[in-house]
């Protein structure tokens, strides 16, 4: 999809460069190294949780690689933007304010010194996003997003081919995991669902051809099915429905796709009802499904735990998104636990600001992609943590913010004044 994901208009995230007097301003294209910095941010958010890999990788080595990627991303972004030119962004401002409850709660050291380290990581992460905001425009970051996550899924597919037993372990109930790099089924499902949705929208917007999109969509759909990730699948379907719905009135291709999708879904639900139900249940009992695979028990315990006023307002500090040794798996409760009610208010404001701006924008492909990403993150926040810390979900929302940013326009230089004609002195006197 490399050369096909193109768009018209000014190059993405352009600066205006002044040329000789009277000439039009020229837009400078986005440096290719911006994509490298974005890829390093994605590497930083991959984490180190998952099943055992084919080649055992020490957790300390993985953490060194991911943190080194963040430092390299910040350094590269700073080198590209030495003049510190950034875009005004309510989303990034709210994300920066999220550092306040994070630091205040972490200073209490209830979560140990690791909380301060996570605050420093979040600050570096947000700083890198600010530096890269200079190049927000059009579909630039959508292309970077698809390329980088498709590369991650390529490593998952390679692990599946090399060692099917390690990629589909019994420990995870036969669900697909990363055999080369430790990735959990929800992570793989999230990455696959996001790039599938974006690729479908690019096809509908005629920014890529069907063959190039199929190279991304088909293998990603296979990997998504092997993960048996219900949240990612639901987020993909709902997000695409909302995004395509925003294009229905202005795009004949969107109307045709929506009609065929509804017909195919109705047929599939009728013919393959049993298989779909088995895939959805993943061999679990109805009781286990009702309790969201044990998540509800952790959530009830977290809400019932006694808290001081300070902990209620600012949380206990950034941690590993767990309570009592068990994962919280809910962005809102994780934020409440670590950053308190202040954190919840800021995260909710981020989503509301992005959603409100998306609704006010006229129908377009960038708006549809932003709606897909915002709705996906909102749905996934119910069973996945990450909206309050450096994570892929914040990267998804950053792409949405970039899509909704006002396009950078070249401001023409004022036309030079016409040269004055020389008037002889005797003529001036006669006047």
């Amino acid at each position: 999809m490399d050369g096909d994901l193109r768009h018209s208009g000014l190059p993405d995230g352009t600066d205006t460069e002044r040329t000789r007097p009277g000439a039009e301003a020229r837009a400078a294209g986005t440096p290719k190294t911006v994509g490298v910095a974005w890829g390093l941010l994605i590497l930083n958010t991959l984490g180190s949780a998952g099943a055992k890999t084919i080649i055992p990788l020490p957790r300390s080595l993985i953490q060194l690689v991911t943190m080194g990627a963040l430092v390299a991303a910040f350094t590269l972004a700073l080198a590209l933007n030495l003049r510190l030119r950034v875009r005004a962004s309510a989303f990034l401002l709210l994300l920066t304010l999220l550092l306040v409850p994070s630091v205040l709660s972490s200073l209490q050291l209830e979560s140990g010194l690791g909380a301060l380290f996570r605050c420093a990581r979040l600050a570096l992460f947000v700083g890198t996003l600010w530096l890269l905001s200079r190049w927000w425009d059009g579909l630039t970051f959508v292309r970077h997003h698809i390329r980088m996550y498709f590369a991650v899924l390529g490593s998952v597919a390679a692990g599946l081919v090399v060692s099917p037993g390690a990629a589909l372990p019994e420990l995870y109930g036969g669900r697909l995991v990363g055999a080369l790099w430790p990735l959990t089924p929800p992570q793989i499902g999230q990455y696959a669902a996001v790039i599938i949705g974006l690729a479908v929208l690019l096809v509908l917007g005629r920014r890529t051809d069907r063959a190039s999109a199929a190279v991304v969509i088909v293998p990603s759909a296979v990997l998504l099915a092997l993960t048996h990730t219900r949240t990612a699948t639901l987020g993909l379907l709902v997000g695409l429905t909302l995004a395509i719905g925003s294009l229905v009135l202005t795009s004949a291709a969107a109307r045709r796709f929506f009609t065929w999708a509804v017909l195919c879904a109705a047929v599939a639900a009728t013919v393959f009802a049993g298989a779909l139900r088995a895939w959805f249940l993943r061999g679990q009992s109805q009781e286990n499904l009702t309790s969201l695979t044990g998540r509800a028990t952790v959530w009830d315990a977290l809400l019932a735990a006694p808290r001081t006023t300070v902990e209620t307002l600012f949380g206990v500090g950034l941690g590993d998104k767990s309570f009592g040794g068990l994962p919280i798996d809910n962005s809102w409760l994780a934020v409440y636990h670590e950053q308190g009610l202040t954190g919840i208010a800021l995260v909710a404001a981020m989503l509301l600001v992005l959603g409100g701006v998306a609704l006010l924008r006229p129908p377009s492909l960038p708006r549809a992609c932003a709606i897909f990403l915002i709705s996906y993150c909102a749905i996934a926040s119910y069973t996945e943590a990450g909206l309050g810390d450096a994570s892929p979900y914040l990267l998804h929302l950053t792409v949405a913010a970039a899509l909704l940013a006002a396009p950078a326009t070249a401001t023409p230089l004022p036309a030079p004044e016409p040269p004055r004609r020389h008037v002889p002195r005797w003529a001036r006197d006669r006047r």
Side-chain angles (χ1 to χ4, degrees):
M1 296 197 54
D2 213 13
D4 297 316
L5 304 181
R6 296 187 289 264
H7 63 282
S8 59
L10 289 171
D12 291 330
T14 56
D15 267 336
T16 57
E17 296 183 356
R18 296 185 180 274
T19 57
R20 64 183 184 276
E24 293 183 357
R26 180 175 62 87
T30 303
K32 293 183 179 180
T33 42
V34 170
V36 176
W38 191 255
L40 290 171
L41 285 178
I42 289 177
L43 176 59
N44 172 254
T45 58
L46 293 182
S48 58
K52 294 182 178 179
T53 55
I54 299 173
I55 301 175
L57 299 174
R59 184 180 177 88
S60 57
L61 175 62
I62 296 174
Q63 292 176 338
L64 179 64
V65 171
T66 54
M67 284 306 304
L70 178 59
V71 174
F74 178 80
T75 304
L76 184 57
L78 184 60
L80 291 171
N81 194 0
L82 287 175
R83 296 185 180 181
L84 303 182
R85 295 177 179 175
V86 298
R87 274 182 177 268
S89 170
F91 166 74
L92 288 182
L93 177 60
L94 291 169
L95 187 56
T96 305
L97 291 177
L98 190 61
L99 285 168
V100 176
S102 303
V103 173
L104 289 178
S105 57
S106 298
L107 285 174
Q108 302 176 41
L109 298 181
E110 290 190 27
S111 299
L113 291 175
L116 295 177
F117 177 80
R118 293 183 179 92
C119 285
R121 178 200 176 202
L122 180 59
L124 206 60
F125 183 85
V126 175
T128 307
L129 296 181
W130 272 111
L131 291 171
L132 295 179
S133 67
R134 172 183 178 179
W135 292 280
W136 282 7
D137 195 11
L139 300 172
T140 300
F141 284 86
V142 171
R143 295 198 300 272
H144 294 328
H145 222 52
I146 293 176
R147 290 169 187 161
M148 299 307 172
Y149 278 123
F150 189 64
V152 173
L153 294 181
S155 71
V156 175
L160 178 62
V161 173
V162 172
S163 179
L168 300 169
E170 295 183 2
L171 177 64
Y172 282 85
R175 300 172 66 190
L176 181 65
V177 300
L180 298 180
W181 184 275
L183 295 172
T184 62
Q187 283 181 285
I188 300 172
Q190 175 197 164
Y191 306 153
V194 166
I195 66 173
I196 288 171
L198 293 176
V200 168
L201 292 173
L202 289 178
V203 172
L204 295 180
R206 297 181 180 179
R207 301 302 172 91
T208 186
D209 59 85
R210 297 180 182 179
S212 299
V215 172
V216 171
I217 295 173
V218 174
S220 300
V222 173
L223 296 180
L224 174 59
L226 291 176
T227 63
H228 290 265
T229 307
R230 295 180 289 236
T231 301
T233 305
L234 181 62
L236 171 63
L237 297 177
V238 174
L240 271 182
T241 300
L242 295 176
I244 296 173
S246 70
L247 294 172
V248 164
L249 297 179
T250 58
S251 171
R255 289 192 291 271
R256 288 194 299 269
F257 182 87
F258 186 80
T259 302
W260 279 105
V262 171
L263 291 175
C264 292
V267 173
T270 303
V271 178
F272 304 105
L276 291 174
R277 186 175 184 275
W279 181 90
F280 187 79
L281 289 175
R282 298 194 313 229
Q284 298 174 343
S285 63
Q286 190 68 32
E287 181 181 356
N288 198 11
L289 181 63
T290 304
S291 65
L292 296 174
T293 322
R295 291 185 178 93
T297 303
V298 180
W299 298 348
D300 292 340
L302 188 151
L303 292 173
R307 290 176 178 271
T308 64
T309 303
V310 174
E311 290 174 345
T312 301
L313 291 176
F314 302 110
V316 299
L318 294 184
D320 58 358
K321 312 297 177 288
S322 66
F323 179 79
L326 297 174
I328 298 175
D329 285 340
N330 181 290
S331 285
W332 302 101
L333 291 179
V335 171
Y336 171 69
H337 178 59
E338 296 182 355
Q339 291 139 315
L341 294 176
T342 306
I344 287 183
L346 291 172
V347 171
M350 286 192 297
L351 289 175
L352 290 175
V353 165
L354 289 176
V357 173
L359 292 177
L360 294 176
R361 287 282 189 270
S364 65
L365 177 60
R367 174 183 182 246
C369 291
I371 290 175
F372 167 74
L373 292 170
I374 297 168
S375 57
Y376 181 89
C377 291
I379 293 171
S381 67
Y382 186 67
T383 58
E384 294 291 334
L387 287 182
D389 205 348
S391 69
Y393 292 105
L394 288 187
L395 292 180
H396 302 333
L397 292 178
T398 302
V399 174
L403 290 165
L404 297 172
T409 56
T411 304
L413 291 171
E417 295 182 3
R420 296 182 179 179
R421 293 180 57 187
H422 175 68
V423 181
R425 184 174 181 180
W426 61 269
R428 292 198 300 269
D429 294 341
R430 179 175 295 181
R431 290 179 185 177

